[in-house]
Amino acid sequence: MSALICGSFAYDTIMVFHDRFRNHILPEQVHILNVSFLVPDMRREFGGCAGNIAYNLKLLGGEGVPMGTVGTDFQPYAEWMDRQGVSREHLKIIDGQYTAQAYITTDQDDNQITAFHPGAMNESHQNQVTQAEGITLGLVSPDGRQGMIEHAQQFAEAGIPFIFDPGQGMPMFDGEELIRFAEQASWLAFNDYEARLMQERTGKSISQLSEMVQAIIVTRGGEGSSIHVRGKIIEIPPAQATSVQDPTGCGDAYRAGLLYGLQNGMDWETTGRIASLMGTIKIEHAGTQNHHFTLDEFKARFRNTFHYGFQE
């Protein structure tokens, strides 16, 4: 099965402030806020949901191609993708636009101030699912609002099962729109906060929503994850991390594990554990695409962690 991964591409510029925001932001003066933070540490990472998921799926040996819109500044990212063997066939460059950019400043308390420029991502609807051939599995992840709506509709019309993974894009949609996504999708994927928001906006419980799809996956960070399959709840334990470096991108790594399990017809118990281990490996590394392993190394760690093996 070949997966089409619809979603964002972005540059993440991460800066570290060697102090605490609270020492410089006075609550009684926020109406005249004018602050400057010296950030001697800075790094630029390749990110975005589609880029991250495609990178992780490639590490597992899965079949997948990302689809997204990028800006005229994309060349360094494009060269990285080429080196990693990730397809750029369905990336569209939008003239006069920057690739989406996230500027993140982190202080010593791990608080973050982020500015996000969507740029070319807002034009994601210019891509169409039908432009990709041989696709048997899809994923709609955070992207431009219209693109997410149209790609879900196109997957449904083509009869291609897909995961709806709204992530940080969920606030863009009201309850009626979210219900429509659930009606079109085969699977839903949320973190625990997004799952609560989904229930609030739709007025439906996870149990009710699970009757509309084949499964709902809810991640809970270090507490593991749950897979709801039509009245049955499968608890997936977390995989122990050797160190915790950076949680950014762990959800995307987890989603790649889901795609890999679905592509290979695995049961949910194994699929969830593969996804869990992918998230753990990611958290052990700074940045979203800086971890590396062979499939044999992954299988060995899977066996050591969960005490059984799997075959793709």
Side-chain angles (χ1 to χ4, degrees):
M1 299 177 74
S2 183
L4 182 66
I5 304 164
C6 299
S8 62
F9 283 82
Y11 288 115
D12 297 332
T13 301
I14 302 167
M15 297 159 283
V16 179
F17 177 50
H18 292 178
D19 200 340
R20 294 171 171 82
F21 294 144
R22 58 185 168 86
N23 294 336
H24 300 267
I25 299 176
L26 304 177
E28 66 276 11
Q29 299 294 318
V30 293
H31 62 292
I32 53 170
L33 184 65
N34 187 352
V35 294
S36 177
F37 302 113
L38 179 66
V39 288
D41 296 333
M42 185 181 83
R43 69 180 193 269
R44 194 185 199 200
E45 303 284 0
F46 301 123
C49 294
N52 294 340
I53 294 169
Y55 173 81
N56 282 280
L57 186 58
K58 182 68 175 182
L59 286 179
L60 285 169
E63 295 293 329
V65 294
M67 174 175 278
T69 44
V70 300
T72 53
D73 59 342
F74 194 69
Q75 187 59 31
Y77 202 150
E79 293 172 358
W80 166 257
M81 291 178 68
D82 291 346
R83 292 196 298 271
Q84 305 311 311
V86 177
S87 171
R88 292 193 286 119
E89 181 181 359
H90 296 295
L91 300 192
K92 182 178 180 63
I93 296 175
I94 306 300
D95 289 338
Q97 295 279 0
Y98 290 109
T99 301
Q101 315 265 335
Y103 295 91
I104 305 165
T105 304
T106 302
D107 74 356
Q108 290 183 332
D109 291 330
D110 288 330
N111 295 310
Q112 291 186 335
I113 297 175
T114 300
F116 183 75
H117 173 67
M121 188 186 77
N122 280 338
E123 301 300 318
S124 60
H125 57 278
Q126 292 194 32
N127 283 325
Q128 296 185 1
V129 167
T130 53
Q131 294 168 340
E133 297 181 356
I135 297 301
T136 54
L137 179 65
L139 186 146
V140 174
S141 61
D143 209 352
R145 170 184 158 82
Q146 193 60 34
M148 293 178 71
I149 291 172
E150 292 187 14
H151 294 156
Q153 180 68 31
Q154 290 161 9
F155 276 128
E157 290 177 350
I160 298 172
F162 72 95
I163 300 172
F164 176 58
D165 169 32
Q168 294 179 333
M170 180 173 283
M172 296 189 294
F173 305 107
D174 60 26
E176 183 176 337
E177 290 168 327
L178 291 170
I179 286 291
R180 180 60 177 156
F181 281 123
E183 291 173 340
Q184 295 168 330
S186 298
W187 309 277
L188 304 175
F190 311 109
N191 64 26
D192 48 0
Y193 171 79
E194 294 155 2
R196 289 194 297 271
L197 187 59
M198 181 75 173
Q199 293 174 85
E200 290 176 3
R201 294 207 168 178
T202 63
K204 292 183 178 294
S205 67
I206 288 294
S207 177
Q208 291 172 317
L209 289 166
S210 70
E211 294 298 321
M212 303 174 65
V213 293
Q214 294 181 32
I216 298 178
I217 300 93
V218 180
T219 61
R220 302 190 306 276
E223 298 179 6
S225 51
S226 301
I227 302 177
H228 302 253
V229 186
R230 298 188 179 276
K232 179 183 178 182
I233 301 177
I234 301 169
E235 295 294 342
I236 305 298
Q240 185 66 40
T242 57
S243 64
V244 177
Q245 296 295 326
D246 181 3
T248 309
C250 288
D252 295 332
Y254 188 104
R255 270 66 175 166
L258 294 179
L259 287 175
Y260 182 79
L262 289 168
Q263 285 181 333
N264 289 283
M266 296 178 178
D267 58 48
W268 283 115
E269 288 82 0
T270 298
T271 296
R273 283 166 171 79
I274 289 172
S276 176
L277 182 54
M278 287 296 294
T280 294
I281 291 172
K282 204 321 294 166
I283 207 172
E284 296 169 349
H285 300 79
T288 59
Q289 298 181 31
N290 294 326
H291 50 293
H292 308 276
F293 56 78
T294 67
L295 183 55
D296 285 342
E297 290 170 341
F298 183 86
K299 287 182 175 181
R301 184 163 177 181
F302 183 95
R303 182 179 292 276
N304 289 336
T305 300
F306 299 113
H307 310 297
Y308 75 97
F310 70 87
Q311 295 294 325
E312 71 278 10

